[in-house]
Each structure stands twice: as structure tokens, then as C-alpha cells.
Amino acid sequence: MKRFFAICCLCALALTLPVRAAGPEVNAPSAVLMEKSTGTVLCAKDEHTPREPASVTKVMTILLTMEAIDSGAISYDDVVTGSAHASSMGGSQIWLREGEQMTVRDLLKAVCVVSGNDAAVALGEYLAGSEDAFVEKMNARAQELGMLDTHFVNATGLPAAGHVTSAYDIALMSRELILNHPDIRQFTTIWMDSLRDGESMLVNTNKLVRFYDGATGLKTGSTDSAGYCLSATAERNGMELIAVVMKGKTSDERFADARALLDYGFATYALVTVAPDAALAPLPVVLGERGAVQPVLTKENTLLLEKSAAGGLQKEVALPESVPAPIAEGDRLGELRVTDAAGETVAVLPILAGESVAHVTWAQMFRRVLRLAFCAP
């Protein structure tokens, strides 16, 4: 639990976190609800127990693919040739044939919409040369993201000894995907589509995409041993939530659990952007090349609050009368304290220098003295 609270504090942008409420009742043994922009966990149940994730594994496969696309290493239009290994995958598949060629776009769509195991392996092989090499990349990226409960064995989530993750870790990689690669929505929001010029029909395995208001994705998964798993994302009023459910008893139950988590989050919390009530005036600089510096509020000025606390916020600016040079852009000059209607501090946001101001040189100082001397009456 100590690790959990430490991570929450870091992810909340050094702001005061909302109290983590009990949340709704869910039937699944492991679940978590996370807000995207801050990474704050709003409620959770046994979120760090390692469990089989089934095809929710593919969130990492998708993430690595999107990172390669967005970095320019590959493109949507690259053509991938199916290998014998990729075509041998069981479970959900698009019946990729050995030697068949498909674009990265179509393979990615197949993974996102129908959870194609063969498509996932084909992408992994294209990115890393082999599925084993790709799995090494998956595990390395998991460690970078702080997914301490995770160990991947394959790119698909097909049953394999030691292939586990946790609800919390799934939320972490889901957040990384939707936060930094929003273009993935072009695939995760598809309800029905096709491949091979209409010959192969695709229907999304995630029913929430069609039946939940604001659904943006993300990935289902199920096997006999993993049960029914889901990472579900949805956005309303500028706030996107991630609901993760693991080892549900039935498909309907996992969707009901995810819906309950999302409903709770949207009903209870809101993102509020705060700013000073009046524009910040330039602050005098002592012995600076310029006489003043412009204070600016940090860009991280969106607070995640319980709706009950979001109304009637008060903002108090605390700045000194002047600051000494030198000043570097981004130096902390003061703070904006935000309090709720009861006077309780909700957040303390830094006010920063919007520009650099160097210390005046001796030559500049001398010229100033001369100007004062000759201009004196």
C-alpha cells in the first residue's frame, strides 16, 4: 500500500488528491478506476494481485505499435507479411495466412476491434523481428511505466505460465496509450468494419463502444483460466476515465462492473481548471537587466475534485513585492492557493517566472548611474 500511495502522489501533479472513496460494488475480484490526465485512482479493489489478463495484454502490443508509428519508426501504410508463426495462433483471429500481406493499419484495426491474435503477433514480429524479441520490449516498457505486478510471456494473452499483470498495471498502460496516443481512437471506437475489401467482417468485442455514452475503447479479454477481463475507457465533459475489471464470471458481468465504475466516476468527480481571478501583474526585479518579470501560472492547473467540492472555490495569490536577479524561466516566484467553500486547502499551485532575467552587469550599472546623474534636475 505504501507503493500505491507514493505513485498516486506523483501522478496527481503535486496537487492535493481527492479522498479515495469506497466506490461502487463490483463483482469481479480485481478492479480499478483511474482518471486519465492525473493518473489518480478513484476507487479500487484488490488492484495489485497478479492475474491472467487474457487479451487485455494487447493494450501493451497496441501501445508499442502506436509509439513506433508516432515516432516515425513505422507508418500505418507499411505492409506486413504474415509468418507461419503468426498464422498458427489460436483463439480470436482474422485467419491471417502465411505470406498474406496486410498494412499496419489493418492489422492494428484487427487487434483493436476483434482482438486478432494472429494480427498481434504479426505486428510484434514486424516491430522486433520475432515474438520473443517483442515480448522483451513489452516487459521493458512495463518496467518503465512502473508496472511492478506484470510479466508478459507473449504478445496476445493466450494462456501461458507466468503471464500475469494486475488491474492497476493494466490501468497504467491503458492511461499511457490514451493519454499520449489519442489517434488510437480511430480504431478503438469502431463498432463494425471490415478487412480484405469487405470480405472479412469485424464486430467490436467491447459492447460498451456501442452501448455506453462517451465510450472511447479499449480492450476485452477472456480465457477459461483468466475469466472475463476488460479495460474500458470513456470520456464525458472533458474527463476520461479508465475502468479495469479482471476475472469476471461472465461477459455481461464484466461490462456491468465497468459500467458501474464509470458511472460512479462521472457522477462523483470533475476536472476543474483554476486561474487567478485577475491577471498577474509584472513583478519588479532588483538588479536585473530588465526591471520586471512576468509571473505565469503552471500549465498543470487542472484539478481533479469531487463535485461536491468543485463549487465555490476561492483563489489567493501569494507573491513577494520584488525578486532579486538573476531569474531563470520557470523559477518559482510564488503560489496560488485554492480553497473550497469550507476554507479547506484544495491545492497549492506554483506561480513561475515566464522569462529569464539576468543580473545587471557592472557596465550596465555604470551606464545607469550616468544616466541618472545627467538626467537629474
Side-chain angles (χ1 to χ4, degrees):
M1 290 300 293
K2 290 182 179 178
R3 175 183 61 184
F4 164 73
F5 284 114
I7 293 173
C8 279
C9 290
L10 289 173
C11 291
L13 307 175
L15 306 179
T16 300
L17 291 173
V19 175
R20 180 169 146 182
E25 289 293 327
V26 295
N27 291 306
S30 289
V32 69
L33 178 67
M34 180 181 285
E35 192 277 319
K36 178 189 73 175
S37 65
T38 64
T40 303
V41 172
L42 304 181
C43 60
K45 175 183 178 183
D46 197 26
E47 69 271 35
H48 284 295
T49 295
R51 301 183 186 276
E52 293 181 57
S55 284
V56 181
T57 296
K58 296 187 182 83
V59 172
M60 180 59 79
T61 304
I62 296 167
L63 172 60
L64 292 179
T65 302
M66 289 303 299
E67 288 179 340
I69 291 170
D70 288 344
S71 70
I74 66 173
S75 77
Y76 286 121
D77 296 324
D78 286 359
V79 176
V80 179
T81 302
S83 69
H85 177 59
S87 65
S88 71
M89 293 295 111
S92 301
Q93 55 185 296
I94 57 170
W95 308 105
L96 183 69
R97 300 182 299 275
E98 181 180 359
E100 183 179 7
Q101 293 187 322
M102 279 193 176
T103 63
V104 167
R105 181 186 302 277
D106 281 349
L107 290 171
L108 191 54
K109 178 166 63 175
V111 173
C112 293
V113 179
V114 295
S115 196
N117 292 320
D118 43 6
V121 171
L123 285 172
E125 291 176 334
Y126 185 67
L127 286 171
S130 69
E131 185 181 9
D132 287 344
F134 185 68
V135 170
E136 290 182 8
K137 289 181 176 291
M138 294 172 68
N139 284 314
R141 192 70 179 98
Q143 289 300 303
E144 291 172 356
L145 293 175
M147 297 169 59
L148 304 181
D149 310 317
T150 298
H151 180 255
F152 295 119
V153 176
N154 57 51
T156 61
L158 286 168
H163 187 98
V164 293
T165 186
S166 66
Y168 179 77
D169 284 3
I170 289 172
L172 284 182
M173 65 178 176
S174 299
R175 176 181 182 247
E176 182 69 16
L177 176 61
I178 64 175
L179 179 66
N180 294 314
H181 307 281
D183 200 36
I184 195 60
R185 282 192 184 190
Q186 67 175 300
F187 304 108
T188 58
T189 57
I190 292 172
W191 174 241
M192 296 183 67
D193 207 324
S194 64
L195 296 173
R196 303 180 176 103
D197 295 324
E199 293 181 6
S200 301
M201 296 303 298
L202 307 176
V203 179
N204 204 316
T205 57
N206 182 2
K207 293 182 180 179
L208 297 183
V209 168
R210 183 179 181 186
F211 298 108
Y212 190 81
D213 179 29
T216 57
L218 188 61
K219 192 71 200 70
T220 60
S222 65
T223 64
D224 290 343
S225 54
Y228 290 87
C229 304
L230 174 66
S231 177
T233 57
E235 183 177 27
R236 293 180 187 173
N237 299 318
M239 181 173 71
E240 192 164 12
L241 301 178
I242 304 157
V244 179
V245 175
M246 297 192 76
K247 209 172 178 60
K249 293 180 180 178
T250 67
S251 179
D252 287 345
E253 184 180 280
R254 69 175 165 186
F255 290 123
D257 281 347
R259 189 179 291 110
L261 288 166
L262 293 169
D263 285 348
Y264 163 78
F266 287 126
T268 308
Y269 294 94
L271 287 175
V272 179
T273 300
V274 296
D277 293 327
L280 296 173
L283 193 62
V285 177
V286 177
L287 296 178
E289 283 186 335
R290 293 195 302 276
V293 62
Q294 179 61 52
V296 296
L297 190 64
T298 174
K299 294 179 180 179
E300 298 170 346
N301 63 332
T302 298
L303 309 181
L304 177 65
L305 300 173
E306 289 192 31
K307 288 184 176 180
S308 60
L313 295 178
Q314 301 294 317
K315 285 93 69 179
E316 180 182 354
V317 174
L319 285 168
E321 293 184 0
S322 63
V323 290
I327 300 165
E329 182 178 356
D331 280 354
R332 184 177 181 126
L333 302 178
E335 64 185 31
L336 175 70
R337 184 174 296 274
V338 184
T339 56
D340 60 19
E344 296 294 327
T345 298
V346 173
V348 178
L349 305 179
I351 296 176
L352 310 175
E355 57 200 331
S356 297
V357 179
H359 196 287
V360 65
T361 65
W362 285 109
Q364 291 169 330
M365 181 71 74
F366 182 68
R367 287 195 293 271
R368 289 182 184 181
V369 171
L370 288 178
R371 282 199 301 270
L372 287 173
F374 284 106
C375 291

